[in-house]
Amino acid sequence: MNTQLKTWIKGWLSHLTFWRTVAITIFVLGLYATVVRFAQGLGAATNLSDEFPWGLWIGFDVLVGVGLAAGGFVLAATVHVFHLERYKPIARPTILTAFLGYMLVVVALMFDLGLPYRIWHPLVMWNPHSVMFEVAWCVMLYTAVLALEFSPLVFERFGWVKPLRIVRAVFVPLVIVGVLLSTLHQSSLGTLYVIASDKLHGLWYTPLLPVFFFISAIAGGLAMTIFESFMSRRAFGRRLETELLDGLARAAVVVLALYTLLKVEDLMGRGVLGLVFTVTPESTMFWGEMALGAILPMILFAIPQVRRNETGMFLAAVLTVVGFIVNRLNVAITGMAASSGVLYIPSWMEFTVTIAIFTAGFVLFGLAVEHLAIYPVEELPEPITTRDRTVPLYLGGTLPKGVLIPLWALFAVGALLVASSIRNADAEARIRQQSEVATAPTAQPDEAAPELKLPAPFAFAPAEESPGVVTFDHRSHVDAGAPECAACHRNLFSLLEPGKPLEGDLSYERVHEGDLCYSCHNGDEASAVDDACESCHK
Amino acid sequence: MKPAILTDVTKCVGCEACVWACKEINELPTIVPRTRLSAETWTVVEKRHGLNVRRQCMHCLEPACASVCPVGALRKTAEGPVVYDASKCIGCRYCMIGCPFKIPKYDWNTPLPTVKKCILCFEKRLAKGLQPACTAACPSGATIFGDRDALIAEARERIRAHPERYIDHVYGLEEAGGTSVLYLSSMPFAALGFNTEAQSSPYPALTWAVLSKLPNVVSVGGVLLLGFWWLTKRKEVLEKVRNGETTLEEARRENPHLFGETTLEEARRENPHLFGETK
């Protein structure tokens, strides 16, 4: 028995590669965070607050997650609507990524929604004026469309001919509906912020947010498809579809150029171009997003030598994806920071849940590739060359070091700038607050305190042995200059139903030793009740 | 009558009777700090530069929160108050993003949280013909309840009678397209922590400008996509014919939707006046 157990553990441990250990650690931490989130509420697990109600889970898991899955509708349209059939080999993995992406977005929403078990409410409780309502419907319908677009793979796997024929028959309308739904909700994620005109920083706030979200989703989706191809080669030993990636890269150039042009025009049109050239945390992040995440990859993708170069291609794709992520986080977090008045930094549990959800995506993708015909079968994996194995792509690969070193240096400088400007902004805000207090005109104290409208004096019906009638008068109990209603009205007497606690018996004990007059007139807070009868009984 | 509240900051003595009345009627926890609005404190008296500033939900005439709520949990009643139906709420917190006055607050520390804000005592008092608890409790007349138009007239009259006492602005008259809660002050509202950048038109119009275009996007986009599909599919089929992979007749039979009903020869025979004599 003991030896059996030992062999079992040994066998299990031998399967425990480095990345599996990492994944298991992430899932264990994620599980802990999940328990805290659902047992104790959002406050215990996140750094969200009344000032900052939307954080990493909305900014990254939802905005980035949905955006990077845009490759799904872009390639579905390319292959099935525009009949560019040569892109077919990469359409399936992209649609799979999109499907998994949307499923995981829904999982993330279950974490972020306060009452996740009511996620179906928008189905039956309608408010067509709400962007969120529209997003909810579109995401739900599109996830269904993606499931159907993806379903042939499952039907093929199990040899179910009839459902396969049905899905094939409606495939084109299905794709068109999917493209329309994607257009709607990709843009609507931007529209969500159109109502936050006083809150979102001028570098990102524009009535054109839906247009920018849509265009950048296409760019992000294209870049993500290129990135995934590299990842698939690494993980599954797949051949790179170099010619196809070249086509995607050229499309990305056009999309990124259009985005940049519109962005400049929009900033000029709103007269806020100056914000770009003032050094603030916002402008630093904006430059990071635009220069490194849009303009630089656009230039790289435009150069044929770079497109022919694997490292160049990979780098440009990564830059675009990172630029896209930074853009969404800028809208959701950087741009909302100043108006919120607080510095929101996600809690470790927020990070953990996000990372765990993405890890789950990787694992599910791997399982799908293993069990379903994601990649055309006739293709045999190209043997991985020694060069690929020894020189990691991200450290240089085939691109000359002369290009890479300045690039990484640029990243480092950018990171430093962001870090320092955040601290500066903090200090600035503090100074601004202090000077505001100092320079603000002080209110003129009123010549005389306003006369308070107080209830009329109330005479208690005297008990039999009472030495005289007691009359309660607010005026002798209230300091007109600094009234403290709460002293008596907090627990003792109702503010809204006068006389309520005086119902029932007004015994000697209750008045003189109990919860009425005595609760203040106890010799401590006010003169004791038994000092002088005639001061009250008159 | 459009129910409204006028709060005259210069008259407030800071007694917090409104705060306690609010807690009493809404059965809110009493042992919490009362320095700012929270899930437990729906109205608060803030100390700003020596003034007592009572804050509460502004009850916009066209509220952003009600417009952004995906399930209609927040709703502008015909009577005026912006009310909340906790049984509908999914907890997306878009109302907190949308509100230009940062009013809705959230239960961050419970597993089943809801949104919390002033509802102008809609069911508990207004429906019974009573004024809200806060204005009923105010001993100094700093915050009063009445018809919005009458209160606007009153506010203007106070400014006219005491121009030295008030700055010439009724906050809430135009902010966010008008609110049911109005303010008078002796100091600029910006110094009191009010959103002075608020636009004077209703906020829901911002997103509606986009949403109202979506039916067009869908119909035009749908037609365009179908058109592209038709054109490219036809081109693809004709390409196959040209390459000799299939015959025109076969392609025609397989894809009747891509081609017309008649052949060119037929059309020519039937409509000789539409075609020239030669080929």
Side-chain angles (χ1 to χ4, degrees):
Chain A
M1 187 65 199
N2 204 11
T3 42
Q4 258 184 333
L5 191 70
K6 268 184 190 165
T7 17
W8 183 82
I9 290 174
K10 258 187 195 164
W12 195 77
L13 281 177
S14 68
H15 283 102
L16 205 65
T17 62
F18 173 71
W19 286 112
R20 279 187 192 166
T21 319
V22 170
I24 289 169
T25 315
I26 289 171
F27 285 136
V28 170
L29 289 174
L31 193 68
Y32 174 77
T34 307
V35 171
V36 173
R37 152 70 187 92
F38 289 104
Q40 297 181 31
L42 284 162
T46 70
N47 280 345
L48 296 174
S49 60
D50 283 334
E51 289 74 31
F52 217 94
W54 282 2
L56 185 73
W57 289 344
I58 293 292
F60 195 85
D61 302 25
V62 176
L63 296 189
V64 172
V66 168
L68 288 183
F73 90 89
V74 174
L75 274 162
T78 308
V79 173
H80 300 288
V81 176
F82 297 99
H83 291 99
L84 297 170
E85 300 273 343
R86 63 198 181 95
Y87 288 100
K88 220 167 185 170
I90 49 175
R92 275 194 167 182
T94 314
I95 289 171
L96 168 65
T97 321
F99 179 55
L100 288 177
Y102 274 80
M103 302 277 280
L104 295 175
V105 165
V106 174
V107 171
L109 268 178
M110 302 302 271
F111 277 85
D112 192 76
L113 286 179
L115 301 168
Y117 59 92
R118 291 179 177 172
I119 197 167
W120 53 274
H121 273 196
L123 290 179
V124 290
M125 302 167 192
W126 286 30
N127 179 13
H129 281 259
S130 165
V131 184
M132 186 74 79
F133 170 77
E134 188 240 316
V135 171
W137 267 90
C138 282
V139 168
M140 184 191 61
L141 290 175
Y142 186 57
T143 309
V145 166
L146 278 171
L148 284 172
E149 285 181 8
F150 172 72
S151 64
L153 278 78
V154 181
F155 297 152
E156 277 169 22
R157 172 79 171 72
F158 295 105
W160 296 341
V161 183
K162 211 167 183 185
L164 192 62
R165 207 175 297 147
I166 295 172
V167 173
R168 288 225 171 116
V170 296
F171 206 72
V172 170
L174 202 63
V175 169
I176 289 179
V177 168
V179 173
L180 288 173
L181 287 170
S182 294
T183 310
L184 293 192
H185 72 260
Q186 291 288 358
S187 57
S188 291
L189 286 177
T191 317
L192 284 178
Y193 289 88
V194 166
I195 205 161
S197 56
D198 308 335
K199 296 183 180 175
L200 186 55
H201 192 271
L203 281 171
W204 295 282
Y205 182 80
T206 157
L208 290 181
L209 264 169
V211 177
F212 285 112
F213 263 57
F214 180 65
I215 299 177
S216 56
I218 294 178
L222 288 170
M224 194 61 188
T225 307
I226 298 174
F227 176 75
E228 278 158 19
S229 295
F230 279 91
M231 286 290 122
S232 303
R233 178 179 67 170
R234 202 189 146 90
F236 313 116
R238 293 261 317 144
R239 189 173 64 81
L240 268 191
E241 311 275 357
T242 322
E243 351 49 82
L244 299 189
L245 299 191
D246 184 76
L248 296 185
R250 281 184 294 154
V253 175
V254 178
V255 179
L256 287 171
L258 180 67
Y259 183 83
T260 309
L261 187 77
L262 270 180
K263 193 83 211 177
V264 175
E265 204 169 76
D266 173 63
L267 288 168
M268 278 167 63
R270 286 183 298 117
V272 292
L273 200 61
L275 288 176
V276 179
F277 301 103
T278 352
V279 181
T280 56
E282 286 88 0
S283 70
T284 314
M285 293 304 287
F286 181 80
W287 274 106
E289 166 200 332
M290 284 306 295
L292 294 181
I295 299 170
L296 181 61
M298 176 180 75
I299 295 170
L300 288 176
F301 276 143
I303 302 169
Q305 285 90 328
V306 174
R307 285 205 308 273
R308 279 198 293 273
N309 180 302
E310 285 185 6
T311 311
M313 193 76 149
F314 180 73
L315 195 77
V318 169
L319 282 174
T320 314
V321 170
V322 172
F324 176 86
I325 294 173
V326 175
N327 169 262
R328 293 305 192 259
L329 291 180
N330 276 345
V331 171
I333 296 174
T334 319
M336 300 292 276
S339 67
S340 77
V342 296
L343 185 65
Y344 163 79
I345 293 167
S347 71
W348 74 266
M349 285 194 251
E350 287 176 88
F351 279 118
T352 308
V353 167
T354 297
I355 295 168
I357 289 175
F358 266 68
T359 312
F362 274 104
V363 172
L364 288 173
F365 190 89
L367 285 175
V369 170
E370 212 169 293
H371 296 287
L372 302 169
I374 305 296
Y375 296 110
V377 273
E378 65 274 12
E379 279 181 57
L380 286 172
E382 189 188 57
I384 295 172
T385 61
T386 37
R387 181 177 57 77
D388 283 333
R389 214 178 275 165
T390 49
V391 185
L393 219 44
Y394 50 87
L395 282 184
T398 53
L399 211 69
K401 286 216 164 56
V403 178
L404 271 157
I405 292 167
L407 262 180
W408 285 116
L410 212 56
F411 262 127
V413 171
L416 277 176
L417 261 173
V418 172
S420 67
S421 56
I422 284 175
R423 209 169 309 133
N424 283 348
D426 241 20
E428 267 172 38
R430 232 174 292 127
I431 291 164
R432 212 177 308 134
Q433 245 175 11
Q434 284 165 359
S435 61
E436 222 170 70
V437 174
T439 54
T442 41
Q444 294 300 314
D446 257 328
E447 311 79 46
E451 195 175 329
L452 299 181
K453 272 169 273 165
L454 297 168
F458 177 83
F460 290 92
E464 262 177 46
E465 293 139 33
S466 177
V469 177
V470 175
T471 306
F472 174 82
D473 192 344
H474 264 90
R475 263 168 296 181
S476 63
H477 283 82
V478 175
D479 173 1
E484 276 181 76
C485 311
C488 303
H489 287 295
R490 181 175 181 156
N491 302 316
L492 211 51
F493 302 107
S494 167
L495 262 167
L496 299 168
E497 293 168 75
K500 187 181 170 194
L502 299 182
E503 279 165 13
D505 142 66
L506 282 179
S507 64
Y508 177 89
E509 286 75 24
R510 199 174 162 212
V511 174
H512 296 84
E513 289 158 24
D515 61 349
L516 292 180
C517 304
Y518 182 77
S519 52
C520 288
H521 286 284
N522 48 21
D524 242 354
E525 288 154 72
S527 57
V529 277
D530 49 353
D531 277 359
C533 306
E534 64 279 5
S535 60
C536 301
H537 293 276
K538 281 167 184 162
Chain B
M1 143 151 182
K2 282 190 287 179
I5 285 177
L6 173 63
T7 297
D8 186 335
V9 168
T10 67
K11 287 190 169 190
C12 180
V13 295
C15 69
E16 295 189 311
C18 49
V19 178
W20 294 104
C22 175
K23 283 182 181 283
E24 185 181 324
I25 189 100
N26 295 303
E27 292 161 27
L28 302 175
T30 51
I31 309 167
V32 289
R34 304 181 309 278
T35 49
R36 56 180 184 174
L37 292 179
S38 68
E40 296 84 20
T41 308
W42 299 356
T43 184
V44 74
V45 180
E46 294 177 355
K47 310 280 176 198
R48 300 264 186 176
H49 308 302
L51 286 175
N52 299 302
V53 187
R54 174 164 101 90
R55 307 304 302 267
Q56 66 174 113
C57 173
M58 300 292 287
H59 294 280
C60 303
L61 301 183
E62 289 186 44
C65 60
S67 117
V68 300
C69 181
V71 291
L74 285 157
R75 178 173 65 90
K76 176 83 177 171
T77 55
E79 294 84 352
V82 180
V83 297
Y84 172 68
D85 181 349
S87 70
K88 288 184 171 177
C89 182
I90 60 173
C92 71
R93 310 187 296 284
Y94 191 18
C95 48
M96 302 174 77
I97 296 286
C99 174
F101 304 110
K102 303 183 180 173
I103 296 300
K105 304 296 174 198
Y106 208 56
D107 280 333
W108 293 101
N109 295 311
T110 81
L112 299 177
T114 49
V115 170
K116 297 288 162 68
K117 77 169 197 70
C118 158
I119 49 169
L120 215 65
C121 295
F122 180 57
E123 275 164 24
K124 289 185 177 164
R125 292 184 63 95
L126 286 203
K128 294 177 188 161
L130 296 167
Q131 61 171 312
C134 52
T135 53
C138 180
S140 70
T143 189
I144 55 175
F145 177 78
D147 173 60
R148 187 169 186 267
D149 293 331
L151 289 180
I152 290 169
E154 165 72 20
R156 288 199 168 126
E157 172 57 25
R158 286 189 201 174
I159 293 174
R160 195 198 56 77
H162 296 284
E164 76 294 343
R165 185 171 184 160
Y166 296 105
I167 59 158
D168 188 11
H169 183 66
V170 181
Y171 191 91
L173 188 61
E174 284 180 339
E175 279 77 7
T179 61
S180 302
V181 174
L182 306 161
Y183 284 91
L184 279 177
S185 168
S186 56
M187 278 179 75
F189 283 99
L192 301 184
F194 283 80
N195 177 11
T196 47
E197 306 284 307
Q199 63 179 36
S200 57
S201 55
Y203 281 79
L206 290 173
T207 35
W208 186 243
V210 181
L211 281 175
S212 57
K213 291 194 181 69
L214 295 188
N216 287 343
V217 172
V218 171
S219 49
V220 173
V223 170
L224 271 180
L225 286 169
L226 261 177
F228 271 118
W229 172 82
W230 191 86
L231 284 174
T232 52
K233 182 77 184 171
R234 193 168 188 271
K235 204 175 133 199
E236 191 187 67
V237 170
L238 288 176
E239 189 85 5
K240 276 186 187 162
V241 173
R242 211 166 301 139
N243 293 343
E245 288 170 39
T246 177
T247 63
L248 187 60
E249 283 66 39
E250 212 173 307
R252 191 183 268 285
R253 202 167 46 245
E254 277 174 18
N255 306 285
H257 50 284
L258 294 179
F259 300 93
E261 290 288 312
T262 58
T263 64
L264 186 60
E265 283 69 37
E266 266 171 357
R268 199 180 262 285
R269 203 167 46 243
E270 279 170 19
N271 307 283
H273 52 284
L274 294 180
F275 298 91
E277 285 295 310
T278 55
K279 279 200 178 176

